[in-house]
């Protein structure tokens, strides 16, 4: 009886094993089919995306501005602000209670050193300690004055000074004896001068160290410069004369920080051309090599997407473009032969451009090219 049972169980096990094998084969086939369809779908999507991307590239237009290299001069300078101050000034007072016997001068009168000013009843005659101008007379002849009373004031308006603060980033560019120019705009006056002294005791504000420089100014030729008037001290720096110059905005910068410009090839396409730059005033720059006078270069002015909606979105994402021929309506870069202005850095260390005394619409301000 037991033998019969074992004989009948063998075919049943084989049948179950065969069924399991078939299921596994069907499962593998389904997995393979899924993988194949996934690969096909991805390939179709990739092809469609590439075709769409290629079409979007053809509809992305770039407009260029044109700039012309010219010959001129360019320079830099440091600018520091201060106010005019007296070097010699003295207020004369009475040495005791007495009477004013005689007043020899009047307000506005110039007096040489040693000249008579006032005679007092005690026999004392006050004289000028230096060449100057009488700026105030407080008494009259015959007036009784007490000890210490103000009598008159003498000031030297022909020799003055300007004290300016120089930031830590600029102090190494300034030295005692260096030539500079002092401009008093309110009086319409300018004077050639030199830095007389630098006090290296620091003043710190906003985490920046400042140093004080003093400039002596001979103001004798100007009759309307007075203490307290605002003055600008300009210290010349780099300068390049009769060189090739170009607007700064015409330059592009590569990843290695080298400069280049776009030039138009014979077939109308734009090609990158490296240039070597020199002195710059923030508005114009000296071109040492890579350009000649009169040569025209280009800079991207505007990127126009001609697609809208989803196509425009993909165009922006891909960032591709078609470089079209420059339009007739290009905005030309300014520039004529001449002096293009200097950049001036203020006493707080910030830079600014100023510009063109002659030629074109080159920058604004007083600095030369």
């Amino acid at each position: 009886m037991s033998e019969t049972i074992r004989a009948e169980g063998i075919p049943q096990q084989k049948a179950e094993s065969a069924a399991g094998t078939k299921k596994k084969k069907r499962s593998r086939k389904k997995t393979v089919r899924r993988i194949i369809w996934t690969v096909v779908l991805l390939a179709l999507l990739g092809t469609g995306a590439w075709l769409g991307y290629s079409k979007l590239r053809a509809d992305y237009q770039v407009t260029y501005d044109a700039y012309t290299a010219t010959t001129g001069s360019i320079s830099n300078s440091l600018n520091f602000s201060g106010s005019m101050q007296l070097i010699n000034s003295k207020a004369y007072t009475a040495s005791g209670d007495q009477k004013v016997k005689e007043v020899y001068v009047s307000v506005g009168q110039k007096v040489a050193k040693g000249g008579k000013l006032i005679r007092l009843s005690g026999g004392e005659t006050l004289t000028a300690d230096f060449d100057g101008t009488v700026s105030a007379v407080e008494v009259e002849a015959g007036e009784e004055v007490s000890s210490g009373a103000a009598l008159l004031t003498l000031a030297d308006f022909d020799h003055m000074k300007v004290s300016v603060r120089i930031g830590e980033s600029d102090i190494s560019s300034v030295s005692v004896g260096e030539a500079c120019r002092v401009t008093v705009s309110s009086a319409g006056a300018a004077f050639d001068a030199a830095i007389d002294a630098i006090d290296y005791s620091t003043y710190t504000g906003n985490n920046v160290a400042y140093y004080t420089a003093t400039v002596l100014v001979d103001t004798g030729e100007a009759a309307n410069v007075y203490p307290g008037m605002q003055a600008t001290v300009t210290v010349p720096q780099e300068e390049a004369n009769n060189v090739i110059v170009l607007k700064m905005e015409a330059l592009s910068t590569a990843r290695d920080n080298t400069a280049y410009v776009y030039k138009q090839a014979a077939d109308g396409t734009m090609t990158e051309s490296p240039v070597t730059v020199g002195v710059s005033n923030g508005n114009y720059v000296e071109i040492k090599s890579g350009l000649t006078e009169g040569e025209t270069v280009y800079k991207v002015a505007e990127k126009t997407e001609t697609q809208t909606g989803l196509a425009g979105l993909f165009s922006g994402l891909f960032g591709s473009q078609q470089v079209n021929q420059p339009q007739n309506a290009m905005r030309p870069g300014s520039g004529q032969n001449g002096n293009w202005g200097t950049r001036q850095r203020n006493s707080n260390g910030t830079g600014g451009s100023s510009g063109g005394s002659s030629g074109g619409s080159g920058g604004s301000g007083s600095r030369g090219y």
Side-chain angles (χ1 to χ4, degrees), residues 25-349:
K25 288 182 178 180
R26 284 196 297 271
S27 178
R28 281 198 297 268
K29 288 181 179 180
K30 288 182 180 179
T31 300
V32 171
R33 282 197 295 269
R34 289 195 188 102
I35 293 174
I36 292 173
W37 279 111
T38 301
V39 171
V40 172
L41 181 60
L42 290 175
L44 291 174
L45 289 174
T47 303
W50 173 253
L51 292 174
Y53 167 65
S54 299
K55 186 177 187 306
L56 290 173
R57 290 185 63 186
D59 294 325
Y60 198 36
Q61 180 178 345
V62 178
T63 303
Y64 289 86
D65 279 347
Y67 299 86
T68 302
T70 60
T71 298
S73 297
I74 186 170
S75 63
N76 284 321
S77 63
L78 297 177
N79 254 19
F80 306 103
S81 297
S83 60
M84 302 301 295
Q85 303 169 21
L86 290 172
I87 298 174
N88 291 320
S89 178
K90 183 175 180 179
Y92 292 82
T93 60
S95 58
D97 297 340
Q98 49 194 315
K99 186 175 184 179
V100 176
K101 298 295 290 183
E102 191 169 354
V103 178
Y104 297 104
V105 294
S106 58
V107 174
Q109 181 178 339
K110 288 194 173 186
V111 183
K113 181 179 180 179
K116 293 180 180 181
L117 301 175
I118 289 178
R119 183 168 63 88
L120 300 173
S121 60
E124 179 184 11
T125 299
L126 304 180
T127 59
D129 289 5
F130 50 85
D131 294 348
T133 301
V134 178
S135 59
V137 176
E138 309 293 347
V139 295
E140 297 178 353
E143 185 177 341
E144 297 284 347
V145 294
S146 58
S147 178
L151 302 177
L152 61 78
T153 302
L154 182 68
D156 181 3
F157 295 115
D158 292 340
H159 303 88
M160 303 177 71
K161 65 180 180 180
V162 182
S163 294
V164 296
R165 292 195 314 164
I166 302 176
E168 60 184 48
S169 61
D170 292 326
I171 192 63
S172 61
S173 301
V174 179
S175 59
V176 173
E178 189 168 5
C180 60
R181 189 162 180 81
V182 178
T183 303
V184 184
S185 298
S186 60
F191 311 94
D192 291 325
I195 296 175
D196 181 70
I198 298 177
D199 180 0
Y200 291 96
S201 298
T202 61
Y203 164 81
T204 303
N206 295 327
N207 298 320
V208 178
Y210 290 91
Y211 307 86
T212 302
T214 302
V215 179
L216 301 183
V217 188
D218 185 354
T219 56
E221 296 180 0
N224 55 346
V225 176
Y226 302 105
M229 287 186 170
Q230 293 301 299
T232 300
V233 177
T234 302
V235 182
Q237 298 290 293
E238 296 177 295
E239 186 175 57
N241 297 313
N242 298 318
V243 296
I244 301 299
V245 294
L246 184 69
K247 286 279 283 185
M248 281 288 295
E249 62 192 48
L251 295 179
S252 298
T253 305
R255 290 185 178 181
D256 60 357
N257 288 326
T258 57
Y260 67 91
V261 293
Y262 285 104
K263 292 184 180 181
Q264 190 173 16
D267 61 359
T269 59
M270 294 295 174
T271 60
E272 294 182 7
S273 180
V275 294
T276 303
V277 299
V279 178
S280 169
N281 62 14
N283 196 11
Y284 287 88
V285 62
E286 173 194 4
I287 304 298
K288 291 185 173 181
S289 66
L291 286 178
T292 58
E293 181 181 6
E295 192 170 3
T296 299
V297 298
Y298 301 88
K299 180 73 177 286
V300 175
E302 184 179 12
K303 296 180 179 180
T304 304
E305 297 179 14
T306 58
Q307 296 285 346
T308 58
L310 184 60
L313 174 62
F314 275 102
S315 178
L317 290 175
F318 284 114
S320 299
Q321 62 188 41
Q322 164 113 11
V323 178
N324 296 308
Q325 294 282 348
Q327 304 299 310
N328 291 333
M330 289 180 194
R331 298 186 294 270
S334 61
Q336 305 282 340
N337 290 346
N339 191 357
W340 296 104
T342 53
R343 168 166 38 185
Q344 298 171 342
R345 180 177 295 167
N346 299 323
S347 58
N348 60 5

Side-chain angles (χ1 to χ4, degrees), residues 3-21:
E3 293 178 358
T4 303
I5 292 173
R6 286 196 297 269
E8 289 178 353
I10 291 173
Q12 184 177 355
Q13 290 175 357
K14 289 182 177 180
E16 290 176 353
S17 177
T21 301

